[in-house]
Amino acid sequence: MAEPAPLLEVRGLKRYFDASPSAFERLFRGGSRLWVKALDGISLAIQRGETFSLVGESGCGKSTAARCIVGLYPPSAGAIVFDGIDVGALRSRRALALVQRRMQMIFQDPYASLDPRWRVRNIIAEPLTTHGVVTDKAELRTRVGDLLQQVGLSAADGDKYPHEFSGGQRQRISIARALAARPEFLICDEPTSALDVSVQAQILNLMKDLQRQFGLTYLFISHNLAVIYQISDRVGVMYLGRLVEVAAADRLFRRPCHPYTRLLLETIPRLDPQGERDPVAGEVPNPIDPPPGCAFHPRCPFANDRCRQERPELIEAEGTLVACHAVEEGRLPVEPRAA
Amino acid sequence: MTASEALLRVERLRIEVPTRRGILVAVDDVSFAILPGEVLGVVGESGAGKSLTGAAVIGLLEPPLRIAGGQILLDGRRIDNLPYEAMRRIRGKEIGAIFQDPLTSLNPLYTIGRQLVETIRTHLDLGSAASHERALSLLREVGISGAEQRIDHYPHQFSGGMRQRVVIALALAANPRLIIADEPTTALDVSIQAQIIALLKRLGREHGTAIMLVTHDMGVIAETADHVAVMYAGRIVEIGPVRTIIAEPRHPYTVGLMQSIPRIGGRRERLRQIDGMMPRLNAIPAGCPYHPRCPEAFDRCLRERPDLLAAPGSEAACWLYDRVPAEADRAAHG
Amino acid sequence: MSELATASTAATVATPASAAPGRLRRFVDSDVLWSFWHSPVAVVAAIVVTVIVVCAAAASWIAPHDPFDLASLSLLDASNPPAWLDGGNWSYPLGTDNQGRDVLSAILYGTRLSLVVGVSAVVLALLLGVTLGLIAGWRGGVVDTIIMRVADVQLSFPAILIALLIDGVARSVLPRDVQAEIALYVLIAAIALSAWVQYARTVRGSTLVERNKEYIQAARVIGVHPAKIVLGHLLPNVLGPVLVIATINLALAILTEATLSFLGVGLPPTEPSLGTLIRVGNDYLLSGDWWISIFPGIVLALLILSVNLLGDWLRDALNPKLR
């Protein structure tokens, strides 16, 4: 039996930002165009009902990927296919609106993602009125009230303004807004990174409950590996605009393949540290001028000449997709981590 | 730990802020001590008062916030009531500070060399050549390679992790005996965090510098601190050795906190959560401030506020650990 | 609504039970109002402005005489000093000018005119400036560049000069008989056109900042039409500083009008504003009839000072960092 078609498919997605000096300057002082390669060709497929996470450090392109997929940035290259529809090829506002209704986003900063001058009930009702889902005022109020209760607030909170709520509560309001028009696909851009640990637990539990209740599909972006571990079905690790490993969550954490994944898992502070660690030196390079070949080779203990010249593609290796020459050539022993 | 041994002693510190609706207490009856060379972690969620405590120690409380009670003693001398000039001399020379955002801790208009030398010359009596040498050696010590060239660079030419190292170098410039670090790794990537944590530990060991590490991240505390104080609603609810508190927390808030931290390994089930939120300063409940959210609360908790009581392995501000056996018994079985 | 959701999250967040207060209650309770009552300068300034505005608005009812009714003027009463001096008389409390017009009445009507011109000019400048600023900030690119360059060029000229220029052009272009009728509108337009730039720049700056904020991105993701985003989300959030500028600009507009009238290129002498009165009185200043220009001058100064002080207070009160 063939696998069901993925809900979201991304092929060769690239997003470059122009960081060149102005045309004027280039005329007089020479110098060529500079591009920040925020996303340098990623491909992935997300199945209906699953939680797919993108993890990586700052500058790896995960937020850019989220924004390209949801339509905030136009891609520089590549295709985004939602339920068989090539989003990039859509021309009319109406066609685009149909896709927008099914795909929504939750943002990182609870303090900036709600309009400070709007009442909460209007914020939550906006998707409903924009897409004409509900026109009757009384019905609108009821729907908004229901949504507020579903995220753990009360219907009376609709009359208040965002600044009257704490960070965690605002995030709940954001979730209510995102769910208002009953989307199928939710992109969550670091939704708990700005929240305290105990509030984070509440929000993550809420998101899991809502997923079960409404059959949602999540694309979850985070830099926090422990959170990713809790919530994901599959994980994609990004480094400098590229996907370096894609695997099922428990496999990734038990048997990480790519050297960068291993580095990440090694360096997260542990609650039960096993003695002194020797952290790997080096930092993420500048995305304007990425290293040739494999982007990770300057920090990689397994780099060879091929790594310095040739960019690795994602290959299948023991149930994981990895972009690493060392794994391909069998140089890298794959041993399970002591959990 | 006798009074003479501790480098920093904070006794019953109380910080208030007058507002037009009355006086709010942001930090209430906080006491702790740090020995030379020791790292004390102060952990809590936003609004718990941990940053304010750090700011009070270093004398950087912004008015209208003010110290309304208690004392802060550095080496037995009171420093909370010093005039501005005297505090300024202590700040930098004996107490160094590292704040969260390295981008705003450094002046973007001056080279880091100039900022370092300025700090060095303010507190130490060194000529310009000697100061320059010291600046170079500080940069090398914090792990900045190519110090001779980079000393003339501007802050924007460094990456986030490197900038934080420069800030640490600045904090160490006058050889302080105590460093207050307020969320020093929060704005940094995970792999850089590890490097900075290792650096702080090494420096602490080598120079005998005590560190007061304020953060919300238990993982950082676990890796760096010797002792930890857990704060909630402006009070310390539990204090003790780091290993004990993490492995066997006693106060119900600490228990709830440790349970809500997602961890890698083990079953991926629903996270345990603490219902509700930390009370706002103008709505702190009577009795124990945690009682509305506490699964173990009984009637004494609603009436009386507990001081820190001896619990197995640590001190916890919780009536469950009151010495009166009848009460403790009732609580355990009630 | 499922059991699951209620069970898991119902008790998690306790919000205060009281219903949210209405708009009026919020305003009354707000920090802004509190800071107003606690700032003596603001209160005094507000009182002064209110008194002046009310008197000016009620000019037709409270003025003892009608200074424009030529028939009621009597040359015998010309050049009377103020009532409390020798030769004065209480039916002309502040004296009369060289034609027998009551100075007090002239001030009342003149203030009304000055206020009308000032407020209209500010409103017009605001509408123009905010609109252009929003467009420039939202669209960016070429549109932004064009608007901002025009603004930059205009800023390099003093406002008075621009107003003079526009006025002068209008005079030369329009036929004589039309001029007198529309002089008022030309004046208002001239002052407005000299002042729109500040609004545009401020609004453009704020727009550039707010545009990248996540609540705007959220609106785009939802699929809200760009015009609705700009008017519904952006506009309310960039208006704050505009209010402060408008208040301070009001004083400037009144002063500009007074200056233009003083220079003779503002309102015609048949409809004197405060500026015209001062000009007319100027001729007689040195001959000893000081009251003709000093009193209008005092009223003008008080008005502008009070409006400025109110504007200062407003700026500080609305600045969250100072609270």
Side-chain angles (χ1 to χ4, degrees), chain C residues 1-87:
Chain C
M1 193 182 61
S2 100
E3 275 271 39
L4 187 66
T6 10
S8 70
T9 49
T12 50
V13 271
T15 40
S18 62
R23 272 238 165 91
L24 188 60
R25 180 98 225 132
R26 298 177 104 76
F27 178 66
V28 166
D29 275 341
S30 72
D31 281 332
V32 174
L33 205 58
W34 182 86
S35 113
F36 179 70
W37 296 127
H38 285 74
S39 164
V41 172
V43 175
V44 170
I47 292 176
V48 172
V49 170
T50 315
V51 165
I52 294 180
V53 168
V54 165
C55 289
S60 341
W61 294 286
I62 65 175
H65 306 263
D66 180 353
F68 305 121
D69 182 4
L70 294 173
S72 71
L73 295 180
S74 152
L75 276 176
L76 289 177
D77 290 321
S79 302
N80 280 5
W84 57 88
L85 295 178
D86 265 346

Side-chain angles (χ1 to χ4, degrees), chain A residues 50-121:
Chain A
E50 79 168 328
T51 301
F52 186 96
S53 298
L54 278 179
V55 69
E57 296 173 296
S58 53
C60 70
K62 53 194 196 301
S63 281
T64 312
R67 282 169 166 70
C68 281
I69 292 173
V70 87
L72 282 172
Y73 298 153
S76 306
I80 300 166
V81 180
F82 182 73
D83 204 11
I85 309 167
D86 184 347
V87 179
L90 293 177
R91 289 284 159 254
S92 74
R93 276 191 66 79
R94 300 193 84 228
L96 199 58
L98 287 173
V99 172
Q100 277 168 331
R101 196 186 146 178
R102 300 166 67 189
M103 191 196 302
Q104 277 301 308
M105 188 156 171
I106 300 172
F107 296 87
Q108 174 174 0
D109 186 352
Y111 295 91
S113 50
L114 304 173
D115 188 328
R117 302 213 174 241
W118 282 38
R119 284 190 203 265
V120 166
R121 58 177 147 77

Side-chain angles (χ1 to χ4, degrees), chain A residues 188-200:
Chain A
C188 314
D189 188 2
E190 310 246 25
T192 57
S193 302
L195 304 175
D196 285 323
V197 143
S198 59
V199 180
Q200 173 176 273

Side-chain angles (χ1 to χ4, degrees), chain A residues 117, chain C residues 122-131 133-134 195-207 234-250 311 314-315 318:
Chain A
R117 302 213 174 241
Chain C
V122 166
V123 168
L124 196 56
L126 199 151
L127 284 174
L128 186 61
V130 169
T131 310
L134 274 177
W196 69 271
V197 176
Q198 303 176 54
Y199 299 99
R201 278 186 146 195
T202 313
V203 167
R204 171 187 176 266
S206 303
T207 306
L234 260 185
L235 185 58
N237 282 293
V238 300
L239 274 184
V242 168
L243 201 56
V244 177
I245 295 178
T247 322
I248 296 177
N249 227 340
L250 181 59
L314 193 64
R315 187 192 57 223
L318 289 180

Side-chain angles (χ1 to χ4, degrees), chain B:
Chain B
M1 190 186 334
T2 62
S4 54
E5 280 177 18
L7 175 61
L8 177 76
R9 263 200 113 70
V10 171
E11 287 174 359
R12 312 195 70 112
L13 182 66
R14 185 181 166 92
I15 300 178
E16 286 175 352
V17 50
T19 65
R20 66 173 170 115
R21 296 189 182 94
I23 295 186
L24 299 178
V25 182
V27 170
D28 197 355
D29 200 16
V30 159
S31 308
F32 57 85
I34 309 184
L35 296 173
E38 180 187 59
V39 179
L40 172 74
V42 180
V43 74
E45 304 189 290
S46 13
K50 52 193 195 303
S51 289
L52 285 180
T53 310
V57 169
I58 199 169
L60 285 178
L61 270 184
E62 295 249 347
L65 286 160
R66 57 166 192 244
I67 297 180
Q71 16 183 14
I72 302 175
L73 300 139
L74 185 68
D75 241 356
R77 294 175 349 251
R78 272 191 78 165
I79 60 171
D80 55 290
N81 56 356
L82 291 179
Y84 181 80
E85 261 309 300
M87 192 62 211
R88 194 181 68 80
R89 265 173 281 144
I90 293 186
R91 200 182 301 137
K93 175 106 184 62
E94 307 193 35
I95 309 181
I98 302 169
F99 297 109
Q100 173 171 347
D101 190 352
L103 197 51
T104 49
S105 306
L106 295 169
N107 188 330
L109 293 177
Y110 295 140
T111 62
I112 58 160
R114 182 161 165 182
Q115 297 185 51
L116 272 168
V117 165
E118 179 186 43
T119 311
I120 293 170
R121 295 190 79 174
T122 307
H123 295 289
L124 301 175
D125 209 0
L126 293 177
S128 85
S131 308
H132 191 86
E133 262 316 302
R134 183 166 168 77
L136 281 173
S137 77
L138 279 169
L139 286 178
R140 279 185 216 115
E141 221 184 320
V142 297
I144 294 183
S145 54
E148 291 79 15
Q149 289 83 40
R150 306 209 75 177
I151 197 172
D152 290 324
H153 284 185
Y154 290 88
H156 69 265
Q157 295 174 274
F158 290 82
S159 67
M162 286 291 160
R163 269 196 287 260
Q164 198 64 310
R165 290 171 192 265
V166 172
V167 170
I168 294 176
L170 264 174
L172 288 173
N175 237 339
R177 289 178 304 138
L178 171 68
I179 289 185
I180 314 281
D182 191 344
E183 308 268 15
T185 56
T186 305
L188 304 174
D189 283 327
V190 150
S191 50
I192 311 301
Q193 266 192 31
Q195 297 171 19
I196 299 294
I197 290 174
L199 175 62
L200 282 173
K201 281 167 69 170
R202 181 169 61 79
L203 291 171
R205 265 198 314 261
E206 286 174 12
H207 292 255
T209 319
I211 302 181
M212 178 179 159
L213 177 61
V214 173
T215 179
H216 67 278
D217 189 339
M218 259 324 215
V220 171
I221 299 268
E223 294 261 344
T224 330
D226 303 307
H227 283 78
V228 61
V230 181
M231 287 188 73
Y232 183 83
R235 289 147 206 178
I236 295 186
V237 295
E238 190 164 357
I239 184 167
V242 120
R243 294 279 84 75
T244 321
I245 295 214
I246 289 182
E248 289 173 9
R250 295 293 167 192
H251 192 283
Y253 172 64
T254 323
V255 171
L257 200 60
M258 297 308 300
Q259 283 176 344
S260 25
I261 297 177
R263 292 176 217 217
I264 298 180
R267 285 189 356 228
R268 297 185 305 136
E269 60 204 6
R270 199 182 159 76
L271 286 166
R272 304 273 203 97
Q273 63 184 53
I274 312 178
D275 291 342
M277 312 182 304
M278 192 173 328
R280 297 218 180 140
L281 288 185
N282 56 2
I284 296 187
C288 172
Y290 187 62
H291 84 250
R293 306 168 76 187
C294 183
E296 319 261 359
F298 51 96
D299 44 66
R300 190 171 183 196
C301 307
L302 284 85
R303 294 186 325 259
E304 291 174 61
R305 214 190 91 186
D307 285 327
L308 280 170
L309 303 168
S314 63
E315 286 175 49
C318 178
W319 291 125
L320 288 173
Y321 300 102
D322 190 23
R323 279 181 207 279
V324 179
E327 291 270 21
D329 236 325
R330 221 182 309 142
H333 300 302

Side-chain angles (χ1 to χ4, degrees), chain A residues 156-170:
Chain A
D157 288 327
D159 291 330
K160 299 186 186 167
Y161 287 90
H163 68 260
E164 302 180 63
F165 295 92
S166 70
Q169 290 172 315
R170 283 188 222 214

